[in-house]
């Protein structure tokens, strides 16, 4: 029958789309209880680099990431006088991705490099002390691949905070290892090829 054939073709078309690796679901600022930044004070930029950070402090199991983000937003604005959370994306212990500062706005830093043009990713925890888990590593790869594709960032422009600053060990030795041995670059290249 004509109708069922059309329905079948439609189903095939839809399932064909579903074969692509799913983009990571990102928890929005509104969903974690944050408030948007003042656009009038924002420094707009164009993404050319992807740069990895860590929290630099222990993130205890059982900590509510949403509460952590609300605290980070308040501290960033009230104590540091920044526009917002310095990072555009934050990855928790389970590899869940949260929206931070609007990616249209350049980030902020305590060190001397200019983060303008950089998509900034923070992974919670202190990787001078602990190892990143596989869920976190997978989330970093997926998010980097998504950003690389969306903003046409070459994999050579994937690096980390300490690659731009001599004043920090960020993202911590145990996470930096994956930057240094090109794990992230290679995994992102594979993801982009697979699409
Ligand atoms: Zn950093």
């Amino acid at each position: 029958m004509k109708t069922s054939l059309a329905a079948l073709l439609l189903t095939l078309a839809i399932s064909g789309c579903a074969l692509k690796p799913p983009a990571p679901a990102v928890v929005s600022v509104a969903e974690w209880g944050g408030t948007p930044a003042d656009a009038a004070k924002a420094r707009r930029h164009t993404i050319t680099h992807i740069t990895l950070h860590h929290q630099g402090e222990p993130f205890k199991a059982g900590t509510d990431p949403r509460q952590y983000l609300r605290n980070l937003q308040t501290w960033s604005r009230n104590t540091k006088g920044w526009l917002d959370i310095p990072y555009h994306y934050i990855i928790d212990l389970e590899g869940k991705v949260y929206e931070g500062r609007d990616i249209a706005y350049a980030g902020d830093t305590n060190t001397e490099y200019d983060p303008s043009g950089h998509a900034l990713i923070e992974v919670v925890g202190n990787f001078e002390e602990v190892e990143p888990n596989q869920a976190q590593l997978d989330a970093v790869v997926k998010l980097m691949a998504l950003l690389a594709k969306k903003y046409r960032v070459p994999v050579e422009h994937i690096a980390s905070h300490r690659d731009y600053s001599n004043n920090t060990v960020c993202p911590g030795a145990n996470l930096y290892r994956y930057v240094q041995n090109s794990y992230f670059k290679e995994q992102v290249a594979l993801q982009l090829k697979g699409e």
Side-chain angles (χ1 to χ4, degrees):
M1 281 166 68
K2 256 185 185 173
T3 25
S4 56
L5 179 62
L8 177 66
L9 288 174
L10 182 65
T11 309
L12 285 173
I14 291 167
S15 57
C17 294
L19 289 176
K20 279 186 181 177
V26 177
V27 180
S28 70
V29 171
E31 281 171 310
W32 57 255
T35 55
D38 183 353
K41 291 180 183 163
R43 194 161 61 111
R44 294 188 166 271
H45 68 160
T46 304
I47 299 297
T48 55
H49 291 73
I50 299 170
T51 305
L52 189 64
H53 298 255
H54 74 157
Q55 180 188 356
E57 285 167 22
F59 192 91
K60 289 196 191 92
T63 302
D64 178 5
R66 289 169 169 80
Q67 184 61 52
Y68 162 71
L69 288 166
R70 290 193 292 270
N71 293 346
L72 180 59
Q73 188 172 61
T74 303
W75 175 82
S76 299
R77 288 178 179 160
N78 297 354
T79 305
K80 300 299 294 184
W82 290 335
L83 179 75
D84 206 338
I85 287 175
Y87 317 107
H88 300 109
Y89 296 98
I90 297 89
I91 295 172
D92 74 6
L93 290 177
E94 294 170 3
K96 195 177 265 188
V97 181
Y98 300 82
E99 185 186 19
R101 179 179 302 222
D102 190 320
I103 194 155
Y105 308 153
D108 271 299
T109 174
N110 281 320
T111 59
E112 77 283 16
Y113 86 107
D114 179 4
S116 184
H118 294 242
L120 306 176
I121 301 170
E122 183 214 44
V123 185
V124 302
N126 181 354
F127 300 107
E128 284 290 298
E129 293 171 1
V130 297
E131 292 287 336
N133 64 47
Q134 194 59 48
Q136 291 179 314
L137 294 174
D138 291 349
V140 170
V141 169
K142 272 190 186 165
L143 180 57
M144 283 180 167
L146 181 93
L147 295 169
K149 191 181 176 196
K150 189 167 181 185
Y151 299 103
R152 297 166 190 264
V153 178
V155 289
E156 293 74 29
H157 288 190
I158 291 173
S160 66
H161 192 173
R162 59 174 282 176
D163 297 308
Y164 300 104
S165 170
N166 293 322
N167 297 331
T168 183
V169 295
C170 179
N174 297 330
L175 185 55
Y176 186 62
R177 198 179 315 125
Y178 296 89
V179 177
Q180 205 172 25
N181 70 11
S182 294
Y183 173 85
F184 290 127
K185 285 180 187 171
E186 286 167 14
Q187 292 298 313
V188 168
L190 279 174
Q191 291 247 330
L192 294 175
K193 236 196 222 170
E195 285 195 0

